[in-house]
Amino acid sequence: MDFWRVPLDADTIKVSLGIVHILEDRCKGCGYCIEYCPKQALELSTKFNQKGYHPPVVVKPEECVNCHYCEIICPEFAIFSVESPPITEPGRAGTHPNSAIKVK
Amino acid sequence: MQEIPKPSKKQPCHPLDDLIRTDRIPHIWCPGCGIGTVFSSCLAALKGSGINLGKTVMVSGIGCSGRAAGYVKLDSFHTTHGRAIPFATGLKLANPELNIVVFSGDGDLFAIGGNHFIHAARRNMDMTVICVNNLNYGMTGGQVAATTPYLAKSTTTPVGNPETPFNLPLMAYACGATYVARWTMLHTRDLTDSITEAIGKKGFSFIEALSPCPVNYGRRNKQKPLDMLKVYQKKAIIKNDADPSTLDIDFEKGIILGKFVDVDRPTFIEHYDKIYRPSRLQENVPGLNS
Ligand SMILES: Cc1ncc(C[n+]2csc(CCOP(=O)(O)OP(=O)(O)O)c2C)c(N)n1
Ligand code: SF4
Ligand code: SF4
Ligand code: SF4
Ligand SMILES: [Mg+2]
C-alpha cells in the first residue's frame, strides 16, 4: 500500500485485504468493476473469454482491500473478493502478504 | 489472432451461486445492462435477511427484468405480462406463510400492470415489489414507457417523448404502500439494505431501482453504459424522508434517492381474517396474525 507518510499506527491498524477471483467466462466486459474499484486494482485484459469479451485482470493484487464493490456492481456474478489473512508483523501490519509499505 | 481459451474446468464459486440457477448463466441480459446488478442485490438481500428461503417465492412479469424469476434458485413464477402482482397476491392469500418478492420492469408493473400495482398497494397486500426502472420497454426494442423522461428518445418517440412520466414513489405512497424507497444500481449497498428492510417488513413495500438499458435506451439517448452510471453518481441526492411529491426524476437538477415511507398499517390478510375468519386467528395459524 502506498502512503504519503507512514501512519504512526501503521503497525497496529489492520487494513482488510482481499484476494480477487474472476470467473472469466461469465464476464461480458462492461468494465464497471474496473471503473469503480476504489484501489484501481483491476484492468481490462487483452485476452478473450469464451464468448469473445475481455474480462478484467487483477493488475495490483496487493492493493485490494476486500471492499467487495467489484463483486456487488458486477451484473454477471463474474467477480468476487475474499479476505486474505492480514499480516501482524510489526511495521508491516495492514499490508498485503506480497507487498511492503512504500512511501511515495 | 489470440487463442480462444477452453472453458476452465474448475471455477471458484461466487458467493451467490447457491441462489442462482448457474446452469443458465451467463444470463440473457446485455453487456452493461443494470438488471443483473439489481438482481444480485436482491439475492444478497434475500440471503442476508435471515428469512426462510424455503418459504420464499419470486414472481416476475414479462420483459428483460422479468427474466429474473428464471435465474433464482427458489420457487419462482414467470407470469404473463403485467400480472406478477395478481399472481403474487394469489400465492400470498393461498399460503400466508410465504414471503413474496415481485421483481419486474417499469413497463410490466406500471403500464400494462399499473392497475394491479395500485390495488395491491391500496389493500396493503403483504409483499415486496422491486421495480427495475430502465426508462423504457427494453425487451421489445426500446418503446416509450410510462417512465420515459420528457423529451427522451425511444423507438416510438424518435424526436422526443411528449409525455410526462410517472413519479413512481409518489404513486406508491399515494396508493397506500407502507414502505417506499428509490436507489440506483450504482448505490447497490443502499439498495441491498433497503430490500433487506422491505423483506423483513409486513405490508406492501416498494423499491424503485434505476438501472441502465444501454442497448435500447442508452443508444438512442447518446449514453454509453458508463455514462449512465456517471449520471447516477453525479446527480444522486440522498434525502431520506423527502416529500414524495418532489421525487420526479430530473437528470439535470438531480435524482432524489432514499427511503421515503416506512409506516405500519394492517395488511389485507389481517383485515380479512378479523372479519371473515375470526376462528382461524384464535387458532394461531402461522403467518396469519404475525
Ligand atoms: C399481453 C402482452 N402485451 C405486450 C407484450 C410485449 N411486451 C413484452 S415485454 C414488454 C415491455 C417490457 O417492459 P419492462 O417491463 O419495462 O421490461 P424491460 O424489458 O424494460 O426490463 C412488452 C410490451 C407481451 N409480451 N404481452
Ligand atoms: S474488492 Fe474492492 S479493492 Fe478489491 S478489487 Fe474489488 S473493488 Fe477493488
Ligand atoms: S463488472 Fe463483471 S461483467 Fe463487467 S467487466 Fe467486471 S467482471 Fe466483467
Ligand atoms: S435490452 Fe436493455 S434492459 Fe434488456 S437486457 Fe438489453 S440492456 Fe438490459
Ligand atoms: Mg423497462
Side-chain angles (χ1 to χ4, degrees):
Chain A
M1 197 170 292
D2 282 346
F3 288 110
W4 164 70
R5 66 167 177 80
V6 180
L8 297 175
D9 54 3
D11 53 348
T12 53
I13 298 288
K14 285 185 193 141
V15 178
S16 58
L17 307 164
I19 299 169
V20 188
H21 292 274
I22 299 168
L23 287 83
E24 293 183 351
D25 288 331
R26 287 186 180 182
C27 171
K28 291 185 190 150
C30 67
Y32 292 170
C33 56
I34 300 167
E35 181 69 24
Y36 285 99
C37 166
K39 304 299 287 180
Q40 283 90 46
L42 307 166
E43 259 176 34
L44 213 57
S45 135
T46 49
K47 77 173 186 195
F48 292 103
N49 68 7
Q50 251 197 320
K51 297 240 173 200
Y53 296 109
H54 295 293
V57 57
V58 189
V59 286
K60 293 186 224 156
E62 70 289 351
E63 289 286 312
C64 174
V65 290
N66 197 32
C67 71
H68 298 288
Y69 196 73
C70 52
E71 173 182 323
I72 60 178
I73 193 71
C74 175
E76 308 289 336
F77 307 98
I79 185 167
F80 64 96
S81 66
V82 292
E83 196 174 341
S84 137
I87 288 192
T88 45
E89 207 179 296
R92 280 199 62 194
T95 57
H96 206 276
N98 40 25
S99 90
I101 287 188
K102 284 181 278 178
V103 182
K104 265 187 191 160
Chain B
M1 263 289 282
Q2 297 213 14
E3 213 179 299
I4 295 175
K6 294 205 175 69
S8 43
K9 278 198 192 75
K10 204 175 170 298
Q11 282 201 316
C13 252
H14 188 279
L16 290 172
D17 272 3
D18 53 342
L19 278 178
I20 311 165
R21 298 186 203 207
T22 47
D23 52 325
R24 296 188 171 188
I25 299 290
H27 49 59
I28 57 146
W29 298 316
C30 309
C33 175
I35 300 172
T37 306
V38 181
F39 181 54
S40 163
S41 173
C42 178
L43 296 184
L46 281 168
K47 208 168 170 170
S49 68
I51 53 164
N52 180 354
L53 294 178
K55 297 219 178 283
T56 302
V57 186
M58 187 183 280
V59 187
S60 296
I62 300 295
C64 298
S65 311
R67 297 298 293 254
Y71 295 119
V72 67
K73 208 154 98 191
L74 293 177
D75 285 340
S76 62
F77 280 90
H78 188 193
T79 74
T80 47
H81 198 18
R83 311 300 179 236
I85 289 178
F87 261 79
T89 301
L91 282 170
K92 185 72 189 175
L93 296 185
N95 187 355
E97 272 186 70
L98 297 178
N99 307 302
I100 312 276
V101 177
V102 171
F103 188 106
S104 213
D106 50 304
D108 186 75
L109 288 167
F110 291 98
I112 187 167
N115 260 297
H116 298 302
F117 182 92
I118 290 172
H119 295 289
R122 175 181 61 81
R123 293 172 174 140
N124 200 21
M125 204 51 84
D126 189 8
M127 59 176 70
T128 300
V129 177
I130 300 159
C131 173
V132 179
N133 184 1
N134 54 17
L135 312 175
N136 78 138
Y137 294 173
M139 175 156 274
T140 41
Q143 291 82 358
V144 74
T147 46
T148 308
Y150 176 59
L151 296 182
K153 295 197 171 85
S154 72
T155 25
T156 45
T157 57
V159 291
N161 179 22
E163 301 179 16
T164 304
F166 271 140
N167 167 346
L168 298 180
L170 173 63
M171 172 139 140
Y173 164 71
C175 298
T178 52
Y179 184 98
V180 181
R182 173 198 278 155
W183 296 102
T184 79
M185 52 70 80
L186 189 72
H187 298 78
T188 153
R189 281 188 212 278
D190 300 289
L191 178 62
T192 304
D193 289 349
S194 231
I195 300 175
T196 311
E197 199 174 19
I199 289 171
K201 193 177 160 74
K202 197 182 63 172
F204 189 90
S205 303
F206 172 64
I207 295 153
E208 174 182 13
L210 292 168
S211 167
C213 165
V215 167
N216 278 314
Y217 183 85
R219 191 160 49 95
R220 291 190 178 85
N221 292 284
K222 300 206 163 45
Q223 270 174 342
K224 295 214 154 55
L226 265 173
D227 298 344
M228 198 74 184
L229 268 60
K230 298 275 168 201
V231 171
Y232 294 158
Q233 193 180 351
K234 288 199 189 103
K235 296 292 178 180
I237 303 166
I238 298 177
K239 207 169 151 193
N240 290 314
D241 300 316
D243 176 352
S245 69
T246 62
L247 300 175
D248 287 304
I249 293 176
D250 187 330
F251 286 107
E252 295 302 313
K253 277 199 248 153
I255 322 155
I256 301 174
L257 307 178
K259 176 170 85 174
F260 312 121
V261 179
D262 189 354
V263 294
D264 287 306
R265 66 185 182 93
T267 63
F268 174 84
I269 292 186
E270 285 169 343
H271 274 311
Y272 187 86
D273 286 341
K274 211 157 138 190
I275 300 164
Y276 292 100
R277 290 171 171 169
S279 59
R280 277 186 80 180
L281 272 184
Q282 277 150 25
E283 283 162 27
N284 205 7
V285 179
L288 282 183
N289 50 0
S290 56

